[in-house]
Amino acid sequence: MTRPSVRESRDAASDVPRGERPRSLRRLAPPAMILAGALVIVGLSFLLPPFRNYQLATVGAYFCVTGGLTVLTGLNGQLSLGHGALMATGAYTFALAQNRWLSLPVSLVAAIVVTTVAGLVIGLAAARLRGPYLAGLTLAVAVVVPSVTSTFDEIFNSDQGLSVALDPPPGTIPVEQWQAWLCWAGALLSTSLLAVLVRGRFGRDLRAVRDDETAARLAGVDVARTQVAAFVVSAACAGLSGALFAVLAQSVSPGAFPLTLSLFLLMAIVIGGLGSLAGALGGAFLLVALPTLAQAVAEGTGSPRLEGNLALVIFGVVLVVVMLAAPGGLASIRFRRRRTS
Amino acid sequence: MATDDVATDHVATDHVATDHVATDHRPDELGLHHISVRFGGLTALDDVSLRVAPGRIVGVIGPNGAGKTTLFNIVSGFVTPSEGSLTLGGRPWRPRPHHLNRLGIARTLQGVGQFNGMTVLENVMVGVRGRHAESEAWTALERCGVTRFAGDRPGALPYAVRKRVELARALAARPRILMLDEPAGGLDADEIRWLAGLIKDVGITVLLVEHHMDLVMSVCDEILVLDFGKPIALGTPAEISADPRVTEAYLGTAA
Ligand SMILES: Nc1ncnc2c1ncn2[C@@H]1O[C@H](COP(=O)(O)OP(=O)(O)OP(=O)(O)O)[C@@H](O)[C@H]1O
Ligand SMILES: [Mg+2]
């Protein structure tokens, strides 16, 4: 065994001035982040044609859910295959509330609240489960939630789903631009809240539980409560995301939230870089870009039926390539460069 | 009556204002009373009683599998005793792992229990509740001589540094009772000397499980010897090293 150089460090310790101690570089204030993000989005939305604005909006809607999922899976180590189902919960709640009260804020809040409660229930069960058992539980959620819609078909209108009544955008703003603003308002708000949350005590607790439950307990972390909290926060984001998708599609149906959606979400955050909100943004972008690419390829080769599977294939290939080239995901590439420079 | 109350109040307030240490009401006295633990057919602890008095350094030794870690698991609430009870500060107590930190009890794990996904500084900050987590963490890192590793991930560091980081995390919350499970395991002579110094100077109640006899004998006020879960001796280091039952237990397992 080589002699570790602890003793030198003991002497060196005293002459490390407090000011020079390493600090996290990512200390941009959240209000500044929101403002900068909002300016970029609003600016972009005036430049982009309607369809691109629609895609921009979709990235924002995805960013809500990937942000929450990367906190749950990346920072707290809880795998969820049920986030597609949580999005469905948010979307249906939004649709029902909207068709009844026709008030966007009320429906959005309702979607978040109901999904958060669902997340609390799942989280309470999940906190007792580990590894494959947890995956199994969330898989069950993914299967059961859509089937609820066909069981209570007088409320949810079964496979056809519900159309969503929406007020027209204010003034003369095109629908797609309005959607982009809405989705990104939700995305920026929820992900900045996440950023604030995970930066401090809660974030440390999340990661401590992920890394070593026993040591975390001894350090005073209530493991079960931390895990439930992570699920609740993550579910709230999924609920908001689902509601935004309902706004985008102006309808909800069980087919919009299949199990493959949950798989895509997981792949997206892994490719982006688990546990990183920047990675979640990258993942959200890929969730829109890769299916578009698949569509183009399928049309190019003249086999439109290939399209659905091709997206999965492309995602799989990207996942493998990224994992080989940068096991920490896309976000880690940038990080590594910064460290070596 | 009323004047009495006022007077007491007054004294108490004075006390708070002038004497910082006396405001720390976290208990530092630990009692184990006739503790037995059975795992199925295996008796891991058999009627163990021990009083750890405030400020004392109490060692727990015994061959592999004697039940030392199980004893720690009892005190930290990971294992519920089949029989017997615990007291903390003289009061009956049912420990829960995540309450220890708040009660002023810190424990390190056999080997290292670390959060490899965060920096050394963050690792130590996990152990400190409250607003001053960062400065308290720095103080603990300084005390353990590992400030210069603050920004590193523990997984990449030498074993001895990781052990020190774990100690720093245990000390960061300024505990009143410190439980160390084989802190010298895997360390060289220099490191062990440093560790002995730290234990002697730490100034709080210490419960030390350790195989390294020189360390145990040099730092402990009192030593409990376990063999197959049974307490076979309890006394000062001098008494323990002269006790024939102890040498027998060790030779018996060595043969
Ligand atoms: N959770 C458990 N379930 C079943 N058996 C256990 C459990 N924990 C400990 N044991 C058993 O109890 C006995 C005492 O184990 P313990 O870990 O307390 O020994 P130890 O004195 O710490 O040994 P070492 O010096 O090797 O660390 C061993 O036989 C062990 O296998
Ligand atoms: Mg042990």
Side-chain angles (χ1 to χ4, degrees), chain A:
Chain A
M1 260 185 58
T2 52
R3 170 82 183 90
S5 53
V6 187
R7 268 198 306 162
E8 302 152 41
S9 76
R10 202 184 321 150
D11 308 328
S14 50
D15 50 51
V16 178
R18 290 210 170 219
E20 276 178 37
R21 281 166 174 168
R23 280 187 163 274
S24 170
L25 296 167
R26 300 163 293 162
R27 293 253 162 170
L28 210 69
M33 260 159 50
I34 296 188
L35 200 67
L39 284 176
V40 169
I41 295 303
V42 171
L44 258 181
S45 74
F46 279 105
L47 301 175
L48 296 176
F51 180 64
R52 294 292 169 210
N53 261 330
Y54 173 81
Q55 287 186 312
L56 180 67
T58 313
V59 173
Y62 272 130
F63 189 23
C64 295
V65 64
T66 53
L69 186 61
T70 209
V71 167
L72 179 71
T73 303
L75 295 185
N76 197 37
Q78 296 193 81
L79 185 74
S80 172
L81 293 169
H83 267 53
L86 287 171
M87 286 170 69
T89 308
Y92 271 95
T93 308
F94 177 84
L96 293 172
Q98 188 67 10
N99 291 346
R100 167 164 280 224
W101 294 299
L102 200 66
S103 157
L104 202 61
V106 169
S107 307
L108 284 173
V109 169
I112 294 172
V113 169
V114 169
T115 316
T116 303
V117 171
L120 175 67
V121 173
I122 302 167
L124 283 170
R128 297 163 180 275
L129 303 173
R130 300 288 178 273
Y133 301 100
L134 175 59
L137 172 81
T138 55
L139 181 63
V141 171
V143 174
V144 167
V145 167
S147 76
V148 168
T149 57
S150 49
T151 312
F152 300 97
D153 52 3
E154 66 281 11
I155 308 175
F156 299 113
N157 197 22
S158 195
D159 286 347
Q160 276 79 54
L162 305 166
S163 59
V164 179
L166 284 168
D167 282 326
T172 55
I173 307 166
V175 175
E176 289 82 2
Q177 196 174 1
W178 173 235
Q179 288 173 331
W181 291 4
L182 263 182
C183 290
W184 275 93
L188 289 173
L189 218 67
S190 56
T191 54
S192 334
L193 280 176
L194 287 176
V196 172
L197 262 181
V198 302
R199 182 173 287 174
R201 156 107 276 144
F202 181 59
R204 281 196 297 278
D205 286 357
L206 286 177
R207 289 176 291 155
V209 167
R210 171 198 65 190
D211 288 348
D212 190 324
E213 281 187 28
T214 307
R217 280 213 171 92
L218 289 172
V221 181
D222 187 333
V223 169
R225 194 194 292 176
T226 305
Q227 287 177 320
V228 173
F231 230 106
V232 164
V233 166
S234 182
C237 295
L240 174 60
S241 173
L244 293 174
F245 272 101
V247 171
L248 283 174
Q250 304 183 14
S251 71
V252 289
S253 65
F257 307 97
L259 181 58
T260 45
L261 172 61
S262 299
L263 293 177
F264 275 125
L265 294 175
L266 277 174
M267 283 198 269
I269 60 167
V270 172
I271 294 170
L274 264 181
S276 138
L277 286 174
L281 175 59
F285 176 79
L286 289 180
L287 281 167
V288 175
L290 291 187
T292 312
L293 180 69
Q295 194 179 354
V297 170
E299 275 165 12
T301 56
S303 48
R305 283 180 55 209
L306 209 65
E307 194 188 314
N309 294 329
L310 204 59
L312 204 54
V313 170
I314 291 179
F315 246 102
V317 170
V318 171
L319 181 66
V320 170
V321 169
V322 169
M323 285 306 101
L324 287 176
L330 297 178
S332 74
I333 300 173
R334 187 199 51 162
F335 183 62
R336 211 185 293 157
R337 230 181 247 141
R338 188 189 282 165
R339 297 245 326 203
T340 49
S341 63

Side-chain angles (χ1 to χ4, degrees), chain B residues 114-148:
Chain B
Q114 235 141 28
F115 312 125
N116 286 319
M118 8 178 159
T119 64
V120 162
L121 177 65
E122 288 174 314
N123 260 268
V124 176
M125 283 172 75
V126 172
V128 203
R129 310 273 121 184
R131 289 209 290 114
H132 305 293
E134 189 165 347
S135 64
E136 291 288 308
W138 278 114
T139 307
L141 286 175
E142 226 154 49
R143 185 170 193 185
C144 294
V146 286
T147 33
R148 74 148 164 185

